[in-house]
Structure formats: structure tokens, C-alpha cells
Amino acid sequence: CSLHVTIAIPTADLNWHGYISQAATAACADARRFREALPCGPLPLLTNPVSPLEIPEASDAWRRRFNDLWDEMRRSVTADAAAVTLRCKLTRLAAAQKDAVAPTLLEAADKEKEKEKDREEDKEENREEDNVEEEDDATKGERQGKVLSSL
């Protein structure tokens, strides 16, 4: 009997990007202002206008909105909140792994118990067979003794 165990380490969760972005998601995803659609219309300008369709005012509005949301997110995401978010995620991962592995381990333990029970039953049957053989030998001996004494 052998047991092979694979340990999975959630590396995507254990880097700074994952740690910070998950904390930001946890802090901001439920806030409606973070889920609002980007405004329809001209895209913001990040450089000087290249075409008459690009409107500098759109760029200013996007920048202001981005900066407002960015500042709000930075205030919402603290090191303590990020640690709580990671701890919750790792707890969920550990529970999922336990749920996946526990039935297999229990099944293996049950099979081992069944094998042990079968071995015990086999031993008992062998003892009973040995006793029957001993009784048969004893009975033969008695019969032989009776036959010889009757001669």
C-alpha cells in the first residue's frame, strides 16, 4: 500500500500583484461607482489630439474620474484588509483541497480496514480448518484403536 500526496501552492495568490489586486477587488467590487460603465463617446486622450474627433475635454473628465476612484481605492485598501482577504481566500482553498482529498483518504482507510477484517477472517477460518483436521486425525486414531482392540 502506498500513498502519494501532491501539494498545490496557489502561486497566483502569493505574489504582490495578486495580493494587492484581490484586496482592491474585495474593497471596491461591491461599490456601484466602481462598477459603472465607462462613458460612451470619444476615447480619452493621453497625448495631444491627432484627429478632430478626439476631444481634449473627454480626456480631462476621464482623468478626473480615474483619479477620484484611484484615491478612493487607495483609502479603502489597507495592509490589514489585504491580509484578511488573502487569509479568507487561502482558507477557502484549503477547505476545497480538504473536501477533495478527505473522501479519498477516508476511502483508503475504509479499504485498509476491510483488508484487515478479511485477513482476520482468513486467520479464523484457517484455525477452524486446523481444528477440524486435528479432530479428524483424533477420530481416525480412536477408530484405529477400536479396530485394533477388537482384533
Side-chain angles (χ1 to χ4, degrees), residues 130-150:
D130 290 345
N131 289 340
V132 168
E133 287 175 10
E134 288 173 9
E135 288 175 12
D136 288 347
D137 289 344
T139 307
K140 269 187 196 175
E142 288 174 13
R143 272 190 263 137
Q144 287 174 350
K146 287 181 184 177
V147 169
L148 288 177
S149 63
S150 63

Side-chain angles (χ1 to χ4, degrees), residues 2-150:
S2 66
L3 173 67
H4 300 274
V5 177
T6 301
I7 298 174
I9 299 171
T11 55
D13 298 318
L14 299 176
N15 63 55
W16 286 109
H17 170 266
Y19 184 67
I20 292 169
S21 64
Q22 288 173 24
T25 298
C28 302
D30 291 336
R32 184 180 177 138
R33 61 198 157 281
F34 284 95
R35 292 181 292 124
E36 289 175 357
L38 295 175
C40 294
L43 292 176
L45 299 175
L46 301 177
T47 59
N48 293 329
V50 226
S51 95
L53 297 175
E54 294 175 333
I55 303 170
E57 294 78 30
S59 239
D60 294 339
W62 277 57
R63 277 195 177 90
R64 278 193 308 277
R65 183 69 172 149
F66 175 84
N67 288 335
D68 291 345
L69 292 172
W70 185 258
D71 291 342
E72 184 177 342
M73 182 186 65
R74 287 193 59 175
R75 284 190 305 274
S76 301
V77 179
T78 63
D80 290 339
V84 168
T85 300
L86 180 63
R87 190 174 309 114
C88 289
K89 181 154 191 168
L90 293 178
T91 300
R92 284 192 313 274
L93 289 172
Q97 289 174 343
K98 182 180 176 186
D99 290 345
V101 172
T104 306
L105 292 177
L106 291 174
E107 200 173 277
D110 289 344
K111 284 181 183 178
E112 190 57 38
K113 285 179 187 176
E114 189 65 34
K115 284 181 186 177
E116 184 61 33
K117 184 180 173 186
D118 289 345
R119 284 192 288 268
E120 289 298 321
E121 288 174 357
D122 288 346
K123 283 181 187 176
E124 185 62 33
E125 286 175 11
N126 288 339
R127 277 190 224 118
E128 289 174 5
E129 287 174 4
D130 290 345
N131 289 340
V132 168
E133 287 175 10
E134 288 173 9
E135 288 175 12
D136 288 347
D137 289 344
T139 307
K140 269 187 196 175
E142 288 174 13
R143 272 190 263 137
Q144 287 174 350
K146 287 181 184 177
V147 169
L148 288 177
S149 63
S150 63

